[in-house]
Amino acid sequence: MYEILRVEELAPKIKLFEVYAPEIAEKARPGQFIIVIINERGERVPLTITGYDPEKGSITFVFNEVGKTTRQLGLLKEGDSIWNITGPLGNPSEIKNFGKVLCVAGGVMIAPMLLQVKALREAGNTVVTVMGARIKELLFFKEELKALSHRLYVATDDGSEGYKGLDFLKDVLASERFDRCVAMGPVPMLQRVCELTKPYKIPTVVTLMPIMVDGMGMCGVCRVSVGGQMKFGCVDGPEFDGHLVDFDQLIKRQRMFLPEERLSALLWELGGCECDGK
Amino acid sequence: MPKQPPEVRKHNFNEVALGYTEEQALEEASRCLQCPQPQCVKGCPVEIDIPAFIKLLRDGKYEEGIKKIKEKNSLPAICGRVCPQEEQCQKYCVLGKVGDPVSIGRLERFLADWERARGFNIPDKAPPTGKRVAIIGAGPAGLTAAADLAKLGHEVVIFEALHLPGGVLVYGIPEFRLPKSIVQAEVDYIRKLGVELKLGYLIGRTYTIPELLKERGFDAVFIGTGAGLPQFLGVPGENLGGIYSANEFLIRVNLMKAYAFPEYDTPIRIGKHVVVIGGGNVAMDSARSALRLGAEQVCIVYRRSREEMPARKEEIENAEEEGIICKFLAAPTRFIGDEKGWVKQMECIQMELGPPDESGRRRPVPVKGSEFLMDTDTVIIAIGRTPNPIIQRTTEGLAVTKWGTIVADENGKTSLEGVYAGGDIVTGEATVISAMGAGKRAARAIHEYLMSKK
Ligand SMILES: Cc1cc2nc3c(=O)[nH]c(=O)nc-3n(C[C@H](O)[C@H](O)[C@H](O)COP(=O)(O)OP(=O)(O)OC[C@H]3O[C@@H](n4cnc5c(N)ncnc54)[C@H](O)[C@@H]3O)c2cc1C
Ligand SMILES: Cc1cc2nc3c(=O)[nH]c(=O)nc-3n(C[C@H](O)[C@H](O)[C@H](O)COP(=O)(O)OP(=O)(O)OC[C@H]3O[C@@H](n4cnc5c(N)ncnc54)[C@H](O)[C@@H]3O)c2cc1C
Ligand code: SF4
Ligand code: FES
């Protein structure tokens, strides 16, 4: 059992949890993730590590309440416990002095980007950050990112704050040179970023979130095509060379269980089965 | 042995084989000749004194009978169900030369079930030695090594990456062949021996082996991480929706209990026309699970002929009784998807058998121009599993073969001091009992190593 030490609502439906997990806190590095199981009937849900404090023995993660499990998770309070957490999983990000790095984060993945930016700064990079969300209410950690980055751009899908969409990046990329680009967020955003950086041959690292079950290389559901080769998102990733990823296939694979997930959420909303312990 | 009738069982996940009644067990036990030089024992990888336990059973001394088995085997209810007895003890039973061998496995199962219904006896343990052993992986190899080392007085901690212990016994073998409550009960018995179980610890990530030895205060390590990496065919279209590795399919169904979705949260999508590729136990388990999940038709596609099928005879028969179709001498060449990226057809090529290959079985050779199409909306690829590479990648100096298995001698000793390994991680995919045998031999070797160390 893993005790929840702190709960913070960062934006509508986006929550941060700090959890007591000393062994994971000691090992975690930027770019890695955990697998959370709420209770004995629960799904194994991968979530990115957004912070760790070995002294306190805690880790933090941020999640979007989308389907049944993350919404159930959102109901938990300080002092409650999570049944099982496995981690840290996946390969840590490569952090070194690349020179000038463009960091692009969208949606809930703004949270792990903060950790990434911090690490890249400490390694001596010049960091230009782009944060994007659907609407301005979802732009959390703005001040924190601003403080850590050399420059911060803000974008929203509806234009309610900052730039409308990512097209402005065209101008940014045309006017300055970057040594590396790091992107985390929804697939359409990753795909767009890769299209934009490709002509400039900027090495672009994307964090992929294929469907996962075990997260340790046993099931193969997380397979993605990278440069025509089959890779496992959980053990070979989660970061890959964005210019080589088959995004269309990834999108299709991410939607594989949509009808089932919807059914599960719907039944749960309706008060569903007594099995949820309510 | 009584079984659920096929028409009934193909709609549920309850155990197929119901086990002997007391009468049946006594009758079967009375057939044993109590050979002075019993051949059956030679066929048992953990050397159970088979005639002795059968005699105790026959005399109604069930408690002594199960004790006799447990001298050698800590997981008898499991072995009684899934051991390939026909290839092991029963193959050598003298009665088999003239008729039916004694059903040793079913007798073992009877005694184990008898004991479990009454509560386990915890055997005496040796006094504490002050030595600590880390076991990696809670499959049959790791559990056996842990039990034996605990009985010898060592402090034992098992690190298991998944959230439930049992290895293939919980994530692979389906409920209808091996109820999970039985695995749970036998694991609880091992816990009662004082073994600590840490679940959700992926060694290589949470800790590495050098860290366990140098920083975490363990005096020795046993690696029993199995062969958990699924193999794919490498043909076009393999990443379409509806194409599962057998591991994914079985993990969803067994470990995550997707057959009870949405009561359990993990979903599985199963179509009308399921194709399973492969011919081993894993293929049989996948096919029979798919049928129980509501598939209209389940077809096993195997590239050789029935004679070469590696699955247990009993399970092939069970599968066929349940209505599973086998298509022999065919291999997939590509998968064709619909506009949503879901598989809708599979192209296969006909095979014929050529001369024997290294495995001694006749090699399948494609027949030119014989491609044909099969409609399918769910494909399960069950063509084998290789060792999970995380430990090998994170343990410097650990000798590994080109197949990714860990190099270890007969007693599990690896190239690193204090590090032992056994089970599928050393042999490649094998059996429950051979993994247990490896766990036992390693436990003995670790004990010697620890006691000789200052
Ligand atoms: C390596 C990795 C790291 C992740 N990190 C985070 C994180 O830090 N914060 C966070 O909120 N989410 C993260 N995710 C996504 C998260 O795991 C899923 O959103 C979660 O499984 C949804 O569970 P659910 O039961 O609430 O929703 P479900 O009912 O499973 O799904 C609801 C909706 O989410 C979509 N979805 C399901 N799984 C994924 C997935 N793997 N990726 C993207 N969309 C998905 C479904 O298509 C559906 O539309 C990560 C995923 C991976 C693989
Ligand atoms: C579907 C299926 C059906 C089968 N049917 C039969 C049968 O009927 N009869 C039979 O005798 N055999 C059968 N087998 C084979 C048998 O199950 C295996 O040979 C046996 O389980 C091997 O035992 P093991 O302990 O070596 O490994 P496993 O049972 O694979 O256990 C290894 C454990 O280690 C864990 N692990 C892996 N890596 C790490 C890590 N880095 N850190 C921590 N933990 C880790 C895994 O999660 C797993 O729990 C079957 C196999 C399958 C897949
Ligand atoms: S070989 Fe057969 S008959 Fe002889 S002791 Fe063993 S089980 Fe009994
Ligand atoms: S999630 Fe199962 S192999 Fe990656």
Side-chain angles (χ1 to χ4, degrees):
Chain A
M1 292 296 239
Y2 292 78
E3 196 194 336
I4 301 168
L5 305 174
R6 180 165 63 98
V7 175
E8 210 179 304
E9 184 155 352
L10 299 175
K13 299 200 168 176
I14 297 184
K15 291 212 170 100
L16 175 145
F17 274 18
E18 182 172 1
V19 172
Y20 186 68
E23 287 148 323
I24 304 176
E26 217 173 291
K27 251 338 202 8
R29 294 291 171 270
Q32 291 189 295
F33 65 95
I34 50 174
I35 288 211
V36 173
I37 313 171
I38 296 196
N39 58 38
E40 275 151 281
R41 294 174 187 241
E43 240 182 316
R44 296 172 64 92
V45 181
L47 295 170
T48 310
I49 296 169
T50 58
Y52 42 87
D53 182 343
E55 254 148 58
K56 197 169 165 194
S58 72
I59 55 168
T60 57
F61 53 89
V62 172
F63 59 93
N64 213 346
E65 296 176 47
V66 283
K68 176 175 170 186
T69 306
T70 44
R71 280 151 73 182
Q72 253 182 324
L73 201 59
L75 294 177
L76 299 180
K77 310 242 158 357
E78 233 174 80
D80 288 346
S81 288
I82 293 172
W83 190 55
N84 191 282
I85 300 184
T86 302
L89 301 172
N91 297 300
S93 310
E94 193 186 346
I95 303 284
K96 61 176 195 196
N97 192 344
F98 297 102
K100 190 164 170 191
V101 184
L102 177 67
C103 293
V104 188
V108 68
M109 297 306 277
I110 291 171
M113 187 54 94
L114 186 64
L115 185 65
Q116 189 87 199
V117 169
K118 212 184 281 177
L120 286 168
R121 266 308 284 269
E122 277 164 17
N125 291 283
T126 302
V127 181
V128 174
T129 307
V130 178
M131 66 188 297
R134 265 188 306 114
I135 50 173
K136 68 169 193 271
E137 285 73 23
L138 297 175
L139 293 165
F140 59 94
F141 283 173
K142 196 162 63 188
E143 294 315 313
E144 289 87 339
L145 275 171
K146 197 168 178 177
L148 280 169
S149 315
H150 289 90
R151 198 164 359 118
L152 176 74
Y153 294 101
V154 174
T156 46
D157 290 352
D158 65 349
S160 55
E161 184 173 335
Y163 292 92
K164 187 168 186 270
L166 287 180
D167 286 345
F168 77 96
L169 272 179
K170 268 190 203 151
D171 301 331
V172 176
L173 289 163
S175 60
E176 51 189 313
R177 206 183 60 82
F178 290 94
D179 300 295
R180 190 178 175 88
C181 172
V182 179
M184 299 175 162
V187 180
M189 188 206 90
L190 300 181
Q191 202 168 5
R192 183 79 188 113
V193 171
C194 290
E195 277 165 21
L196 292 168
T197 58
K198 199 163 187 179
Y200 300 98
K201 299 202 170 63
I202 303 171
T204 301
V205 177
V206 293
T207 296
L208 300 186
M209 304 199 289
I211 293 178
M212 291 189 182
V213 180
D214 60 300
M216 49 183 264
M218 280 170 54
C219 72
V221 69
C222 63
R223 58 195 192 270
V224 286
S225 287
V226 182
Q229 275 189 312
M230 185 190 287
K231 297 280 179 193
F232 285 4
C234 62
V235 289
D236 299 321
E239 296 183 352
F240 291 100
D241 179 342
H243 294 148
L244 298 178
V245 171
D246 182 341
F247 285 109
D248 295 331
Q249 186 184 81
L250 177 65
I251 291 177
K252 282 182 182 148
R253 286 191 66 82
Q254 272 187 342
R255 290 190 187 134
M256 272 189 313
F257 294 98
L258 214 54
E260 287 77 8
E261 301 290 11
R262 287 206 179 123
L263 174 70
S264 156
L266 189 68
L267 286 173
W268 182 67
E269 270 167 39
L270 295 172
C273 41
E274 64 282 12
C275 50
D276 290 320
K278 321 185 284 171
Chain B
M1 181 162 55
K3 285 191 209 172
Q4 278 196 73
E7 272 317 306
V8 177
R9 72 184 191 234
K10 70 187 213 192
H11 299 296
N12 69 52
F13 269 84
N14 301 334
E15 197 168 12
V16 167
L18 302 173
Y20 278 150
T21 60
E22 188 165 359
E23 251 176 7
Q24 288 168 324
L26 289 169
E27 195 186 315
E28 183 65 19
S30 69
R31 292 179 54 228
C32 171
L33 303 173
Q34 293 293 315
C35 309
Q37 276 177 341
Q39 298 303 303
C40 53
V41 179
K42 288 186 193 154
C44 174
V46 295
E47 303 152 17
I48 294 176
D49 189 344
I50 293 165
F53 98 73
I54 295 183
K55 179 161 195 310
L56 290 164
L57 196 172
R58 196 173 64 190
D59 297 344
K61 296 179 182 159
Y62 302 148
E63 193 163 337
E64 283 97 328
I66 186 67
K67 220 165 154 184
K68 183 56 72 192
I69 294 176
K70 281 197 159 172
E71 280 172 11
K72 300 286 183 181
N73 182 344
S74 301
L75 310 170
I78 293 167
C79 291
R81 286 173 167 78
V82 302
C83 266
Q85 290 105 10
E86 64 281 3
E87 298 286 325
Q88 301 178 356
C89 50
Q90 289 171 200
K91 183 172 173 181
Y92 299 95
C93 170
V94 287
L95 285 179
K97 309 266 186 289
V98 288
D100 283 340
V102 176
S103 295
I104 300 168
R106 293 171 181 182
L107 294 175
E108 178 182 26
R109 167 180 168 161
F110 172 79
L111 283 180
D113 289 354
W114 179 88
E115 186 197 30
R116 200 174 59 258
R118 277 158 193 77
F120 293 119
N121 280 324
I122 304 300
D124 299 331
K125 279 172 44 172
T129 59
K131 304 283 183 191
R132 299 179 74 223
V133 186
I135 308 277
I136 308 170
L143 290 171
T144 305
D148 284 11
L149 286 162
K151 282 195 259 180
L152 290 164
H154 305 295
E155 193 185 322
V156 182
V157 181
I158 303 182
F159 294 95
E160 165 57 51
L162 292 171
H163 59 281
L164 292 175
V168 173
L169 306 176
V170 290
Y171 83 71
I173 302 181
E175 182 80 14
F176 56 81
R177 275 215 293 134
L178 179 64
K180 300 304 156 251
S181 58
I182 290 177
V183 181
Q184 181 75 47
E186 300 209 323
V187 170
D188 281 347
Y189 162 76
I190 288 170
R191 271 203 182 107
K192 286 196 188 119
L193 290 172
V195 170
E196 188 187 350
L197 250 175
K198 290 197 165 245
L199 302 172
Y201 286 74
L202 181 64
I203 300 305
R205 297 276 193 214
T206 317
Y207 305 126
T208 61
I209 289 179
E211 282 166 358
L212 288 172
L213 288 170
K214 292 194 190 91
E215 294 161 28
R216 298 277 146 189
F218 289 98
D219 301 293
V221 171
F222 174 77
I223 309 170
T225 48
L229 190 76
Q231 293 202 287
F232 287 91
L233 294 154
V235 302
E238 206 163 12
N239 293 341
L240 287 166
I243 304 183
Y244 301 96
S245 75
N247 257 14
E248 179 193 351
F249 181 78
L250 292 170
I251 290 177
R252 283 183 186 270
V253 176
N254 298 318
L255 182 72
M256 307 310 294
K257 300 212 179 342
Y259 62 83
F261 177 85
E263 216 176 298
Y264 282 74
D265 289 338
T266 305
I268 185 107
R269 173 97 62 92
I270 193 86
K272 291 196 175 109
H273 298 282
V274 178
V275 170
V276 179
I277 296 157
N281 285 320
V282 183
M284 295 299 145
D285 283 345
S286 303
R288 298 172 69 199
S289 299
L291 194 71
R292 283 161 172 77
L293 289 165
E296 272 170 26
Q297 191 195 70
V298 181
C299 177
I300 290 180
V301 172
Y302 181 53
R303 61 191 186 131
R304 303 182 202 234
S305 74
R306 174 183 298 272
E307 284 68 61
E308 287 86 19
M309 259 197 170
R312 286 183 69 186
K313 285 268 160 346
E314 185 177 333
E315 303 303 349
I316 301 176
E317 282 161 21
N318 277 334
E320 285 184 329
E321 270 175 31
E322 288 164 14
I324 284 163
I325 308 161
C326 291
K327 170 110 191 76
F328 296 107
L329 291 165
T333 45
R334 71 188 164 111
F335 298 100
I336 302 158
D338 63 16
E339 64 292 345
K340 286 192 180 134
W342 201 266
V343 63
K344 66 171 188 194
Q345 279 184 318
M346 172 169 101
E347 187 191 74
C348 287
I349 189 160
Q350 202 68 49
M351 308 294 255
E352 58 189 14
L353 290 180
D357 62 12
E358 325 74 78
S359 75
R361 296 175 301 173
R362 295 179 64 192
R363 183 197 298 274
V365 188
V367 180
K368 263 212 181 76
S370 66
E371 285 86 354
F372 61 97
L373 287 173
M374 276 174 87
D375 286 340
T376 175
D377 46 15
T378 308
V379 176
I380 303 167
I381 302 173
I383 56 166
R385 307 169 308 133
T386 54
N388 198 317
I390 292 183
I391 298 244
Q392 294 86 320
R393 282 187 201 166
T394 54
T395 314
E396 213 178 304
L398 186 66
V400 177
T401 67
K402 68 173 175 192
W403 299 279
T405 52
I406 294 175
V407 178
D409 73 7
E410 183 55 17
N411 297 316
K413 197 170 173 341
T414 70
S415 59
L416 290 177
E417 189 186 329
V419 179
Y420 294 75
D424 284 5
I425 188 68
V426 170
T427 54
E429 267 181 286
T431 60
V432 172
I433 195 74
S434 60
M436 291 177 60
K440 268 197 123 47
R441 290 190 302 274
R444 217 176 295 163
I446 291 171
H447 178 65
E448 276 165 28
Y449 166 74
L450 292 176
M451 299 324 277
S452 66
K453 215 171 81 162
K454 300 284 144 358

